[in-house]
């Protein structure tokens, strides 16, 4: 195993368990204590974990930390724009699609305002506002009820009940974290339940996630990696992560951060290919 691969695995274990010991990692990976200490030092210098005596712990917030929508909206702007541009190619006129809460799905909403006859179901207040303010008069926007979260999502029994009555062509799902072990995750238990209802209501699942989501584990799993028909991410995703995801998701789409939207060819299924 290469050093970079080992460090990614170490970081995932730290984020999943909250802390690791040098001796345990050395035995697990079959390397010396000194090698593990160098790995931890490298990750510590990048701010990805906190190196402590005999091991390492999570750096900063834990798996239940949920940054607000405004705080997340200024991060990875180029990556989110590229991901949203590619995702918009998958939508054809007249389709019924769902957009979960998130800053990347909000970026996608800005690219859907001119799609004729579109029906959008969302539990995101920003997504609904974007389409209400700038969308076409022949579009329909359905906003679920529910309890508002820090990320401006509506969650809970009201949201789940509304979603379960629907049948949708496509779901665009934003996630807090991606992990080989935990799958797609969120720091909010009720949001995970609401997102699972969205997944069940849609024929196809498209996950939108920039490279920073890799190795991050929220407290609650949404679905496993294999549930995603398509995962759209950016080209800063590490090569070992690409290999891992390519084996697990239906289709891995990696876009350059400077990539813009291209013309899409509509199909009869509600998804442009």
């Amino acid at each position: 195993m290469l050093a970079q691969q080992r460090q990614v695995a170490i970081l995932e274990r730290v984020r999943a368990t909250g802390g690791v010991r040098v001796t345990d990692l050395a035995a697990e990976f079959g390397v010396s204590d000194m090698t593990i200490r160098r790995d931890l030092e490298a990750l510590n210098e990048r701010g990805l974990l906190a190196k402590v005596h005999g091991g390492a712990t999570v750096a900063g917030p834990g798996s239940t930390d949920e940054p607000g929508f405004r705080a997340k909206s200024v991060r990875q702007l180029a990556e989110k724009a590229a991901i949203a541009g590619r995702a918009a190619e998958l939508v054809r006129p007249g389709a019924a699609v769902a957009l979960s809460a998130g800053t990347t799905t909000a970026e996608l909403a800005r690219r859907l305002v001119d799609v004729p006859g579109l029906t959008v179901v969302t539990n995101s207040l920003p997504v609904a506002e974007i389409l209400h303010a700038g969308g076409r008069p022949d579009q329909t926007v359905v906003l679920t009820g529910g309890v508002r979260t820090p990320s401006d999502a509506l969650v809970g029994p009201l949201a789940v009940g509304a979603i379960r009555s629907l049948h949708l062509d496509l779901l665009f799902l934003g996630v807090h974290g991606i992990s080989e072990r935990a799958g797609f995750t969120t720091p909010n238990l009720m949001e995970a339940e609401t997102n699972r209802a969205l997944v069940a209501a849609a024929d196809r699942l498209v996950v939108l996630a920039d490279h920073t989501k890799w190795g991050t584990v929220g407290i609650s799993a949404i679905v496993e990696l294999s549930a995603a028909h398509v995962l759209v991410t950016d080209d800063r995703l590490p090569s070992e992560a690409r290999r891992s995801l390519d084996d697990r998701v239906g289709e891995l789409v990696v876009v350059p951060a400077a990539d813009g939207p291209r013309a899409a060819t509509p199909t009869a299924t509600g998804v442009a290919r």
Side-chain angles (χ1 to χ4, degrees):
M1 180 181 287
L2 298 175
Q4 188 178 27
Q5 294 174 308
R6 188 174 56 250
Q7 289 170 16
V8 169
I10 290 170
L11 184 60
E12 184 173 346
R13 282 161 178 73
V14 170
R15 288 173 169 168
T17 64
V20 292
R21 295 175 59 86
V22 169
T23 53
D24 294 339
L25 292 173
E28 180 178 352
F29 293 107
V31 296
S32 67
D33 287 5
M34 184 58 67
T35 296
I36 295 297
R37 289 192 182 94
R38 284 197 295 265
D39 288 336
L40 297 181
E41 185 61 37
L43 293 168
N44 181 76
E45 289 178 357
R46 292 161 59 192
L48 299 175
L49 53 71
K51 190 168 179 282
V52 298
H53 181 70
T57 61
V58 174
S63 61
T64 59
D65 179 69
E66 185 175 5
F69 181 89
R70 183 171 297 180
K72 292 187 292 184
S73 67
V74 297
R75 302 174 183 173
Q76 285 76 49
L77 297 180
E79 290 88 343
K80 291 173 183 177
I83 291 167
R86 184 62 60 88
E89 300 174 14
L90 302 177
V91 181
R92 72 166 180 88
V97 303
L99 273 65
S100 77
T103 53
T104 309
T105 52
E107 190 66 28
L108 171 60
R110 296 184 178 93
R111 287 160 171 75
L112 300 182
V113 295
D114 293 323
V115 179
L118 193 65
T119 296
V120 177
V121 176
T122 186
N123 68 322
S124 166
L125 292 167
V127 166
E129 179 58 30
I130 289 166
L131 292 167
H132 173 74
R136 295 168 53 101
D138 60 355
Q139 291 182 342
T140 300
V141 180
V142 179
L143 179 64
T144 70
V147 178
R148 187 173 184 169
T149 72
S151 59
D152 286 345
L154 297 177
V155 302
L158 288 175
V160 171
I163 293 164
R164 283 178 176 167
S165 66
L166 303 174
H167 302 280
L168 305 165
D169 296 316
L170 189 61
L171 165 63
F172 293 99
L173 179 68
V175 299
H176 175 77
I178 305 174
S179 162
E180 286 182 340
R181 178 187 62 82
F184 300 110
T185 63
T186 172
N188 188 298
L189 294 171
M190 287 199 297
E191 188 165 8
E193 182 184 15
T194 304
N195 283 341
R196 284 192 291 271
L198 286 169
V199 171
D203 289 337
R204 286 173 60 83
L205 168 61
V206 180
V207 177
L208 309 181
D210 67 72
H211 69 280
T212 64
K213 307 301 177 64
W214 175 253
T216 297
V217 179
I219 192 172
S220 185
I222 304 169
V223 290
E224 60 188 14
L225 299 180
S226 61
H229 295 91
V230 182
L231 169 59
V232 186
T233 187
D234 65 88
D235 58 358
R236 293 185 62 190
L237 186 72
S239 57
E240 65 274 9
R242 298 189 197 190
R243 289 191 292 270
S244 176
L245 291 168
D246 199 39
D247 290 338
R248 289 168 170 80
V249 302
E251 179 184 2
L252 178 65
V253 178
V254 180
V255 296
D259 199 13
R262 301 174 299 168
T265 302
T267 74
T269 63
V271 179
R273 299 185 185 277

